[in-house]
Every structure is written in structure tokens, then in C-alpha cells.
């Protein structure tokens, strides 16, 4: 997800486990959608242990971002188009 | 399995190279796979790839190397597939990559789990995979021994 690094993001959790990210999204975001690894978010395949929860608060997306050396970060990015695309996914 | 080159091929998905045994074990596994007629590819971040490449300047063991993000994108896009998937795991990120590969490919991945917290990490893996786990941080021998035990059976499934 190299292109995510070029977007304006906020780090919500740093060095979190995939489980902590999922629990945070489900507890703190108004809505969320579960996706499988490999799902394309910001045009790149998402890495993680399924189900991967993507949080939605208006136009803001909250999602895990994994780096091999630094663990998993939970990031927050405002993007109306991507938020609308994720919101349109069927709730599971 | 969809994608190309999925038969006698294997990919070694390297993690962060902060644990010393990773590069040595990767080179050992590359050698063992080649001896069994399997063409191995190495996927990893730049530092992990450079360590195996610099350790094998004449490329006796290391063949193609692939950027980790590109590897995941190609799997997800069904552009490429491999016969075997070996994932090097010593932290939570490694578990995430292994789960991702397993979920995208539907294949049983081989999880090589090492480092100080190998037991805890092995227990956290709930998806289907073959686990090869040993407390190997500086000394690769415990992990090498387990690879020797399991590899003939793993390769026979190709």
C-alpha cells in the first residue's frame, strides 16, 4: 500500500495487533464493513488477518496498514469517494 | 490454483530482517528447494532482499526476487501464483502476511515461526497452515532441523 503513504493520514493506533485494530474499529467507528485480505483499498491490496474491519465515520475511513518491520498501524484518511465505495459494500 | 507458474515453484516471503536467523535460513531453504527441483522466488522488503542477494553474490541459491507489496498485489490480482508458500514469521506482521497469502490463494501455507516469542506467535495463528516453529534467534540450527524433517513431505505435495 505504498500510495497510502502519499496520502494525508492520521495514525490512530501504532504497533497494534490485527485483533486490536479490528476491535477498535468495531467499538469506535459509526459504521464498519468487513473485507477479506487482498481487497483493494486506495488501489492496493489490504494485508491482514480476516475479517479485516474498515471503519467509516462520514467521509473518513479507518483501516489497518501493515508494515513488515513496524507492525500494524490503524490509519484514518478522509476520502469521500473511497468512503462511498466502502459504504456501498454489503454488510456481513 | 489460478495465476501463472504455479507448479514446481515456491516463494519465500521474508519478514523484517531484524532477527538474525532469517537470512541464513532463507538461503538454506533456497538451496534445499533447488536440490529438489523447485524454482524458488524471494519476496520481501528492500532490506530483506538485499541481505539474501549480498549473501549470495554469484546467485547460486537466490534467483528472482520480488518486492513484497508487488507480490501481494500480484497474488490478489491473480496475476501470479506459486506451488508452495513459505512465510517467515517472527512478529504480528508476519502473521498478517501469512493470513493474507492463505486467504487469497486458498493454499495451505508453510509458516516458519522463529524468534523469542515463537510459541506465543504460533498459538495466535488460527487459519489453516503448516507450522514449523522453533526458538531460533541467533542460532539457525533448531529451525534448520525442523525444515529438514518437514521439507520432503511438503515438496512431495507439489
Amino acid at each position: 500500500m505504498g500510495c497510502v503513504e502519499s496520502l494525508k493520514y492520521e495514525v490512530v493506533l501504532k504497533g497494534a495487533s490485527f485483533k486490536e485494530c479490528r476491535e477498535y474499529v468495531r467499538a469506535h467507528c459509526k459504521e464498519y464493513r468487513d473485507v477479506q485480505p487482498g481487497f483493494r483499498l486506495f488501489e492496493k491490496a489490504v494485508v491482514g488477518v480476516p475479517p479485516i474491519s474498515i471503519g467509516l465515520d462520514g467521509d473518513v475511513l479507518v483501516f489497518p496498514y501493515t508494515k513488515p518491520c513496524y507492525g500494524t498501524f490503524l490509519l484514518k484518511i478522509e476520502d469521500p469517494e473511497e468512503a462511498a465505495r466502502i459504504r456501498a459494500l454489503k454488510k456481513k | 490454483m489460478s495465476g501463472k507458474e504455479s507448479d514446481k515453484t515456491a516463494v519465500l516471503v521474508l519478514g523484517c530482517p531484524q532477527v538474525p536467523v532469517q537470512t541464513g535460513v532463507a538461503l538454506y531453504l533456497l538451496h534445499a528447494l533447488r536440490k529438489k527441483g523447485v524454482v524458488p522466488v524471494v519476496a520481501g522488503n528492500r532490506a530483506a532482499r538485499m541481505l539474501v542477494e549480498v549473501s549470495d553474490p554469484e546467485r547460486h541459491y537466490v534467483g528472482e526476487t520480488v518486492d513484497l507489496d508487488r507480490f501481494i498485489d500480484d497474488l490478489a490480482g491473480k496475476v501470479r501464483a506459486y506451488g508452495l508458500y513459505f512465510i517467515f514469521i517472527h512478529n504480528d506482521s508476519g502473521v498478517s502476511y501469512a493470513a493474507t497469502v492463505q486467504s487469497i490463494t486458498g493454499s495451505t501455507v508453510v509458516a516458519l515461526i522463529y524468534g523469542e516469542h515463537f510459541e506465543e506467535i504460533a498459538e495466535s495463528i488460527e487459519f489453516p497452515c503448516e507450522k514449523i516453529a522453533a526458538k531460533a534467534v541467533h542460532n539457525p540450527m533448531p529451525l534448520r532441523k525442523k525444515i529438514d524433517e518437514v521439507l520432503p513431505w511438503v515438496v512431495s505435495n507439489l
Side-chain angles (χ1 to χ4, degrees), chain A residues 1-2 5 16-19 36-40 43-50 52 65-72, chain B residues 14-18 45 68-70 72-74 76-77 90-97 99-101 103-104 124 127:
Chain A
M1 287 166 61
E5 289 164 34
S17 71
F18 44 83
K19 199 172 173 184
Q36 293 299 305
F39 176 83
R40 290 193 177 270
E43 298 177 4
K44 299 298 275 184
V46 177
V47 169
V49 178
I52 299 168
Y65 177 52
T66 300
K67 298 284 281 179
C69 297
Y70 303 103
T72 301
Chain B
L14 304 182
C16 172
Q18 71 187 132
N45 68 9
L68 188 58
D69 288 340
R70 175 70 183 271
I72 294 292
D73 268 354
D74 284 352
H90 69 85
N91 60 13
D92 200 66
S93 296
V95 177
S96 290
Y97 278 97
T100 300
V101 172
S103 176
I104 292 172
S124 75
F127 51 86

Side-chain angles (χ1 to χ4, degrees), chain B residues 30-45:
Chain B
L30 290 167
H31 168 68
L33 288 166
R34 285 193 183 280
K35 277 187 80 174
K36 293 182 183 304
V38 180
V39 178
V41 173
V42 172
N45 68 9

